Amino acid sequence: MRVQSPRDLAELFEALQTPGAQPLAGGTDLLVRLRAARKDGVKPLPASLVRLDGVEALRGVRREADGALRLGAASTHAELLAHPLVRAALPELAAALTQLGSPPIRNMGTLGGNICTASPAGDCLPPLYALGAVVELASQAGARRMRLAEFIAGPGRTGLKPGEVLAAAIVPPAPEFQVRHFEKVGRRGALAIAVVSLSALLRLERGRIAEARLAWGSVGPTVWRCPEAEAELVGRKPTLAALSAAAAVVRENVRPIGDLRASADYRRQVAGNLLLRLALL
Amino acid sequence: MPLPSPSTPPRADALAKATGAERYAFDSIPEGCLHAGAFRPGARLGIAHGRVRGVDAGAALSIPGVVRVLTAADVPGPNLHGIIHRDQPVLCGEVIRHAGDPVALVLAETPEALRDGLAALRADIEPLPGAFDAAGALKPGAPLVHAGRKGGNLLLRAKIEKGDARAALKNAPVVVRGEFFTPVQEHAFLETQCGTARLLPDGTLDMTLSTQSPFRDRFEIGAGLGLDPLSIRIRAPHLGGGFGGKDGATVQCLLALAALNAGGRPVRMAWDREESVLAGFKRHAVRLRCALGADTDGTLLAHDCDMLFDTGAYAHLGGEVMELSMEHACGPYRIPNTRVTGRCVYTNNPIAGAFRGFGVAQASPAFEGLMDELAAKLGMDPLELRRRNALAGGDVNGAGVRLNASAHLPECLEAVAAHPLWAEREAWRASAPAFTMRGVGVAAVFNGMGYGRGLPDMAIAKVELTDAGGFRVYVSVADMGQGNASAFALLAAQELNQPPSSIELVMPDTERCHPSGSSSAGRTTYTFGNALIKACAGLRAKLASRAAMPLLRDTLDGLALEPGRVVHAPSGKALPLAVLARFLPHDDRICVAEFLMPVAQDVAGKAEGFLIGYPHLLFAYAAHLARIEVDGLTGRVRVCDYLCATDGGRVLHRQGFDQQAQGGAAQGIGYALFEEFRLDAGRSTTGDLGTYLIPTALDLPDIASLAVDGCEESGPHGLKGVGEVGLNGPAPAVAAALRHCLGDAAARRLRRLPFTPERVLAALKAGGTARNRRRA
Ligand SMILES: Cc1cc2nc3c(=O)[nH]c(=O)nc-3n(C[C@H](O)[C@H](O)[C@H](O)COP(=O)(O)OP(=O)(O)OC[C@H]3O[C@@H](n4cnc5c(N)ncnc54)[C@H](O)[C@@H]3O)c2cc1C
């Protein structure tokens, strides 16, 4: 297996032309998968790994003209977490990053890797879905944008085309939402894959909910939205009664699976329960 | 002899370990070595029990760098090993009995070639029906794990009886009952099983191993491979964790077999984490059914307990673990009538064996669970109930042994009772924020020390005056991280009246050190420490008297060992030790002494079924307190504060003592809340540390450790072993705290460890507590 280390976008796109080339960001997902594949001796290994960490254009945080934040895909979780714009404007994403992995994982792992791995449990995903994030994809042919929710097609599946990389996530900061929340339920305090997670945004007008955006992780093949529960909340005050009613709608609609970490039943129960926490905010 | 001060120097191994300078067996990669690895096809094929029809090594042998592929046909000797029962093949030729059983051994030039060789090996294995739970394995017609074995799947049945428990239970004014389940636990040491071996031209098999039992390993290897055990030399450097999982052969026999086939080259074997989980020993899963009877004032009258042990595919230490578990089944209490029955059963699950708290960690959730149940039924304070019945010196324990040794559980309970965490428990409960519940629980635990009756629990220590006038201690018991080597350096320094820097340690080496028992059973510091003190005292007296001639004394009066020299105090004359060393022939500069642990003599109870190792005389005691918080929305339990009060006799080294208490509690909190070893038809579905979850730093509170005043007269400077007792407390203490916050009905539903968020939430839902307590 070859490892290529491009220093700019041109070299990167060139390197990605190698047949069997695969982008390598922090490697915290990819190297784990490659190690397992090696041991099995069954799955073929990529012919070449193309490092993204040397490509400056893929890193850093910028505010775009319309106020949206452009988060470079190869930015590490630790870099994003240390960035004042992220902390101030995207508190739910910052909360998710704080709980992602552990310090070494946050120092290596990147936002782009978290998105492209497209795990149902990816911690960055529920906040990004709730915020309506858009992804920017780049290749020798140029750049294109699409909604994150469309980009992620299923577990481990994305709309990336051969030769293409994820360049950035563009996130509208949504300051009009007064209640902003992220909660991850894991089996322990760190290095835990989410069993259920919830990112919630509530926009209040005169004390009543005018708009609710709810996005769950780990309860479906991709991040799960529940328009029925959002509708249940609109027009009501964020009281325990209103949230309990929405929680009941969630439990009715959600279709999680059971696995090693939790049963389907537990996930269903907790997916609803997590809404009640909003009563405290 | 001046008593050691509690503010003793830091551990002797602290600097080397903190800087990464310490060389573990894992770090040993001899130049030009071959790499050996076991082929364990069951896991990949999804077969835990199957007939081996063939191994196809063709593709593996064609990989460059693969040197040999060995199978059962290449194993000399009986191809069966084990510590007590020899029933485990080195390589399986006919049947695999669990998913991690090895059928071939690959030798390769590089780790990469080894990995590719193992991946290319193919085995033809015909699945056989399996026995995957202990109760099922005892049913008539159950698949036999060891076909043709007399007794079928029942490895051992045993009974302990004192008084008449059944009659006493019938007549007891208050009786509580319960069924408890304790799970498999993975040792998850940092350093996985590993070692190196080389066959020397003179026929010596020279091995360096990560092992708790270097002296005994020789006999297990010798028996398995038909070799002369005394032609095997084993060195045991510091271990990166053992916890019982390296007591008995892990890599030993495979590595020895590899070395026999390596043409005199050194061979290294190091399991990766997955192999460690797949093939390593585990804590036994146990089902316990118990009944506890008491008088209306809380005086305990009778305890009846039935235990069912799943020992997995091979006997290993199954019978011995069950023995200790049964001996502790009635708790650290005075109970006139006891009856404990146990069965230890073969299944096609992973091999179970020794694990810190050796069977006792399985018993404590049950006896303490029933104590809390009893307290609830009597409307009595749970700590008061324990105080009323706690064993003290002179009492007779549940197995009928009179405790003529130190026993300070009452003082442990006093220490907890006096602590603010206990005094403020109701305020803590009342202070729970919305959606959460808070509670405090206590548990009283104990743990036997040593091998028990019928086995010589012995150690032999050697100490030597070096040419430079320092001292060298030949340590015969491995240090798996518990700090006994540091304790020995300290003991020797004190006993020889020398600065700690003048003491050098030789870690276990069967050629240079004297034979001693394993590093296990809370005996290591106690037994070897006693031998060492004796050896040091002998050397001290000898050196003082040997100085008489050069110092021109006509009597031995007034001669004494001082740092670096022998002094004649009245005249002020002194002889440097470096000079004395050169004055004496080497043979005269050593002293060797042994110690044999005392065994129980006064035993009132009857026991049937145990071969050896029953009963015990010496015990460490502890009272633990857990202060917890439960999230009502997710069922997640957080241990907020933790306290241990331990009776380990006199404290030799406070840091070492506290670390043992804290490490045990941390591992016990993992057992209580996080660690869930899952099996699907004998195959682990939690095969790595991403799926088998041990607690992280964020999951553990600061753990306060108190030492109660005590002195075990038979111990080195009055100490007892405290390595294991700390693990037995957290599961029952957390269970008690859950009862305090969720109520008795919920507590009755929480009798299966670990208390995962899912189980807690289900118990909460059933108890209806969450809704009542939500105050948002
Ligand atoms: C111990 C451990 C703990 C973890 N804990 C968590 C956790 O708590 N929460 C969580 O969500 N995840 C967790 N992870 C998973 C992982 O760390 C994250 O998903 C991380 O964000 C992946 O980023 P990376 O840069 O390491 O990706 P890589 O491993 O480098 O890449 C992952 C995949 O994405 C592709 N890729 C990466 N970047 C790009 C790009 N810019 N364009 C196109 N393709 C790209 C790669 O080709 C690869 O297929 C954990 C992993 C480990 C090993």
Side-chain angles (χ1 to χ4, degrees):
Chain A
M1 212 163 36
R2 244 176 95 199
V3 178
Q4 291 169 277
S5 307
R7 282 159 304 175
D8 57 31
L9 284 175
E11 284 185 18
L12 168 65
F13 296 141
E14 186 59 41
L16 288 173
Q17 296 308 310
T18 325
Q22 181 162 12
L24 170 75
T28 59
D29 273 318
L30 188 55
L31 297 183
V32 176
R33 288 205 295 270
L34 294 184
R35 176 178 176 272
R38 269 223 159 127
K39 268 184 82 166
D40 285 352
V42 183
K43 271 168 269 162
L45 301 175
S48 124
L49 296 179
V50 182
R51 286 172 56 178
L52 303 184
D53 56 343
V55 182
E56 215 37 59
L58 298 179
R59 304 182 81 136
V61 176
R62 255 197 0 242
R63 201 183 271 285
E64 300 217 313
D66 63 354
L69 294 188
R70 184 179 196 284
L71 312 178
S75 310
T76 66
H77 301 309
E79 283 164 5
L80 293 177
L81 206 43
H83 202 285
L85 274 177
V86 174
R87 286 201 166 265
L90 305 174
E92 53 289 277
L93 182 63
L97 292 171
T98 314
Q99 295 172 59
L100 192 152
S102 61
I105 295 294
R106 293 195 288 273
N107 284 337
M108 290 304 292
T110 64
L111 181 70
N114 200 248
I115 293 174
C116 293
T117 286
S119 157
D123 282 334
C124 298
L125 301 180
L128 293 178
Y129 270 62
L131 289 161
V134 164
V135 291
E136 184 179 298
L137 309 169
S139 68
Q140 239 157 12
R144 59 182 181 123
R145 287 189 175 192
M146 67 196 291
R147 288 181 47 230
L148 173 64
E150 282 158 27
F151 176 67
I152 294 183
R157 288 189 294 121
T158 66
L160 269 182
K161 291 189 180 142
E164 207 169 41
V165 290
L166 175 68
I170 291 84
V171 192
E176 65 278 19
F177 288 83
Q178 298 92 333
V179 175
R180 308 180 62 144
H181 180 62
F182 173 80
E183 179 171 356
K184 167 179 174 176
V185 181
R187 282 278 283 105
R188 62 180 170 191
L191 293 168
I193 299 177
V195 168
V196 183
S197 60
L198 168 67
S199 190
L201 298 178
L202 300 183
R203 184 162 62 77
L204 304 176
E205 276 173 17
R206 269 172 272 112
R208 290 181 187 275
I209 299 169
E211 185 183 354
R213 292 196 203 159
L214 309 173
W216 282 265
S218 289
V219 295
T222 60
V223 168
W224 183 69
R225 303 290 302 263
C226 186
E228 298 85 350
E230 293 174 354
E232 177 71 36
L233 288 174
V234 170
R236 303 182 67 172
K237 290 184 178 154
T239 59
L240 196 55
L243 292 161
S244 298
V249 174
V250 168
R251 291 189 201 104
E252 213 163 281
N253 285 278
V254 70
R255 296 280 175 272
I257 56 158
D259 62 15
L260 268 182
R261 282 173 284 280
S263 68
D265 214 46
Y266 177 80
R267 287 199 164 92
R268 178 178 310 111
Q269 185 68 32
V270 172
N273 284 0
L274 290 187
L275 278 182
L276 305 188
R277 200 92 69 198
L278 298 175
L280 299 180
L281 301 173
Chain B
M1 181 85 275
L3 279 177
S5 111
S7 57
T8 36
R11 289 172 58 143
D13 54 349
L15 188 63
K17 285 182 175 173
T19 56
E22 189 65 61
R23 307 296 291 172
Y24 297 86
F26 206 93
D27 298 315
S28 160
I29 307 179
E31 216 180 295
C33 72
L34 289 171
H35 299 264
F39 176 51
R40 308 177 189 275
R44 200 195 294 166
L45 297 172
I47 300 172
H49 191 202
R51 191 168 314 286
V52 181
R53 285 195 295 218
V55 176
D56 178 2
L61 283 169
S62 70
I63 288 173
V66 171
V67 178
R68 297 279 316 254
V69 175
L70 306 169
T71 63
D74 300 299
V75 179
N79 192 14
L80 285 175
H81 70 99
I83 296 176
I84 292 153
H85 303 263
R86 307 212 191 276
D87 63 357
Q88 183 176 354
V90 178
L91 288 175
C92 299
E94 285 158 26
V95 196
I96 58 167
R97 297 187 177 85
H98 76 112
D101 252 344
V103 303
L105 183 66
V106 179
L107 273 72
E109 293 286 351
T110 63
E112 293 73 27
L114 174 62
R115 180 195 61 210
D116 294 344
L118 287 168
L121 270 176
R122 292 292 172 265
D124 180 7
I125 297 192
E126 173 195 341
L128 294 171
F132 300 118
D133 74 288
L138 288 179
K139 296 214 172 102
L144 290 177
V145 179
H146 294 268
R149 181 181 175 277
K150 203 171 133 250
N153 289 331
L154 183 66
L155 168 64
L156 182 70
R157 177 200 295 279
K159 185 158 89 174
I160 299 175
E161 208 157 19
K162 183 182 77 164
D164 188 345
R166 285 173 161 178
L169 275 172
K170 218 172 266 159
N171 299 325
V174 191
V175 176
V176 291
R177 292 173 198 281
E179 184 178 49
F180 298 81
F181 296 90
T182 62
V184 170
Q185 188 179 17
E186 173 72 27
H187 300 84
F189 20 65
L190 268 177
E191 181 200 34
T192 51
Q193 295 86 339
C194 62
T196 58
R198 181 176 200 171
L199 187 61
L200 302 179
D202 70 358
T204 301
L205 189 56
D206 188 357
M207 307 182 79
T208 297
L209 298 168
S210 186
T211 179
Q212 293 174 227
S213 43
F215 288 91
R216 195 190 59 219
D217 285 349
R218 298 173 301 169
F219 294 88
E220 193 172 353
I221 298 166
L225 300 178
L227 304 176
D228 170 14
L230 300 179
S231 69
I232 303 171
R233 173 183 187 175
I234 294 179
R235 274 172 271 223
H238 279 274
L239 281 73
F243 312 119
K246 294 173 183 168
D247 192 1
T250 56
V251 296
Q252 279 82 335
C253 299
L254 293 165
L255 200 46
L257 175 63
L260 296 180
N261 288 278
R265 287 173 66 179
V267 189
R268 176 175 190 262
M269 175 180 252
W271 295 0
D272 64 15
R273 183 62 60 184
E274 289 88 339
E275 186 171 15
S276 179
V277 177
L278 175 66
F281 305 119
K282 316 288 170 224
R283 185 188 296 287
H284 286 79
V286 183
R287 184 196 75 193
L288 304 100
R289 291 180 173 153
C290 328
L292 178 64
D295 220 327
T296 47
D297 66 355
T299 305
L300 300 182
L301 299 174
H303 194 138
D304 188 348
C305 179
D306 179 61
M307 307 180 135
L308 184 61
F309 277 70
D310 179 348
T311 205
Y314 299 102
H316 187 47
L317 288 168
E320 293 62 40
V321 171
M322 181 173 87
E323 179 284 310
L324 208 70
S325 197
M326 291 175 65
E327 196 179 334
H328 290 74
C330 301
Y333 303 114
R334 268 186 319 271
I335 311 179
N337 302 287
T338 60
R339 181 174 188 275
V340 184
T341 49
R343 286 164 299 165
C344 192
V345 183
Y346 284 113
T347 64
N348 295 111
N349 289 329
I351 311 163
F355 196 139
R356 193 178 197 174
F358 205 86
V360 189
Q362 288 95 318
S364 64
F367 63 68
E368 286 301 85
L370 285 193
M371 285 296 275
D372 284 323
E373 191 64 39
L374 180 64
K377 201 156 178 180
L378 292 167
M380 210 171 149
D381 176 276
L383 189 55
E384 182 49 35
L385 178 66
R386 288 172 170 86
R387 271 165 159 170
R388 183 162 301 193
N389 294 286
L391 284 172
D395 286 342
V396 173
N397 73 11
V401 176
R402 183 166 301 281
L403 300 172
N404 295 322
S406 78
H408 297 285
L409 180 58
E411 290 87 337
C412 296
L413 290 165
E414 288 317 317
V416 168
H419 199 277
L421 288 175
W422 179 250
E424 293 159 12
R425 65 193 182 283
E426 291 311 324
W428 172 255
R429 181 156 73 164
S431 69
F435 302 124
T436 60
M437 286 133 277
R438 289 177 164 178
V440 176
V442 294
V445 289
F446 62 154
N447 206 106
M449 272 174 62
Y451 296 154
R453 265 236 316 253
L455 274 173
D457 190 313
M458 186 180 254
I460 308 175
K462 169 175 156 183
V463 58
E464 171 186 83
L465 174 67
T466 66
D467 293 345
F471 292 88
R472 190 173 290 132
V473 173
Y474 292 81
V475 179
S476 303
V477 285
D479 187 330
M480 44 181 157
Q482 75 273 48
N484 49 283
S486 298
F488 300 146
L490 187 63
L491 280 175
Q494 287 169 350
E495 210 55 48
L496 294 164
N497 194 22
Q498 300 298 312
S501 58
S502 71
I503 309 292
E504 177 192 318
L505 300 177
V506 174
M507 294 308 281
D509 177 340
T510 57
E511 194 169 290
R512 301 177 70 197
C513 306
H514 284 66
S516 292
S518 54
S519 182
S520 62
R523 65 175 293 275
T524 316
T525 306
Y526 173 93
T527 309
F528 188 82
N530 267 327
L532 179 61
I533 287 180
K534 224 165 121 187
C536 289
L539 190 60
R540 180 184 174 132
K542 181 199 266 192
L543 294 179
S545 45
R546 291 293 188 276
M549 263 198 289
L551 287 177
L552 302 172
R553 308 316 314 165
D554 58 0
T555 74
L556 298 181
D557 299 340
L559 288 166
L561 202 55
E562 282 196 355
R565 56 198 200 150
V566 178
V567 176
H568 179 252
S571 66
K573 281 190 171 175
L575 183 71
L577 287 175
V579 176
L580 182 58
R582 288 166 60 207
F583 181 70
L584 298 173
H586 183 260
D587 285 358
D588 197 28
R589 280 193 254 140
I590 63 168
C591 193
V592 180
E594 80 287 335
F595 180 79
L596 186 59
M597 189 186 290
V599 293
Q601 303 292 354
D602 182 359
V603 185
K606 290 178 297 192
E608 293 165 21
F610 303 129
L611 302 174
I612 42 172
Y614 175 91
H616 290 71
L617 175 65
L618 299 171
F619 296 80
Y621 298 84
H624 281 202
L625 176 149
R627 181 154 106 156
I628 68 164
E629 185 171 276
V630 179
D631 177 29
L633 299 184
T634 60
R636 181 164 174 219
V637 179
R638 199 163 67 85
V639 180
C640 305
D641 301 276
Y642 203 88
L643 169 70
C644 329
T646 311
D647 164 26
R650 196 160 268 156
V651 177
L652 171 67
H653 187 258
R654 189 58 201 248
Q655 187 189 27
F657 174 91
D658 291 340
Q659 286 177 341
Q660 284 289 40
Q662 290 159 345
Q667 213 162 16
I669 290 172
Y671 186 51
L673 293 176
F674 299 98
E675 302 185 32
E676 194 167 27
F677 195 96
R678 301 259 201 133
L679 287 166
D680 173 15
R683 290 164 293 141
S684 160
T685 54
T686 46
D688 57 34
L689 296 181
T691 45
Y692 181 82
L693 302 185
I694 59 174
T696 70
L698 293 187
D699 301 298
L700 295 170
D702 286 343
I703 297 166
S705 161
L706 307 176
V708 304
D709 228 5
C711 178
E712 169 48 46
E713 293 301 336
S714 71
H717 293 320
L719 75 74
K720 298 191 278 191
V722 290
E724 308 199 60
V725 69
L727 206 147
N728 306 332
V734 168
L738 282 165
R739 178 185 287 268
H740 191 224
C741 52
L742 308 183
D744 297 319
R748 262 169 236 135
R749 299 180 153 268
L750 290 169
R751 287 180 169 168
R752 187 185 284 273
L753 296 173
F755 305 126
T756 59
E758 178 144 13
R759 290 195 176 126
V760 172
L761 193 68
L764 248 166
K765 243 176 102 185
T769 328
R771 209 153 289 278
N772 304 343
R773 292 252 172 83
R774 266 176 210 158
R775 296 183 289 118

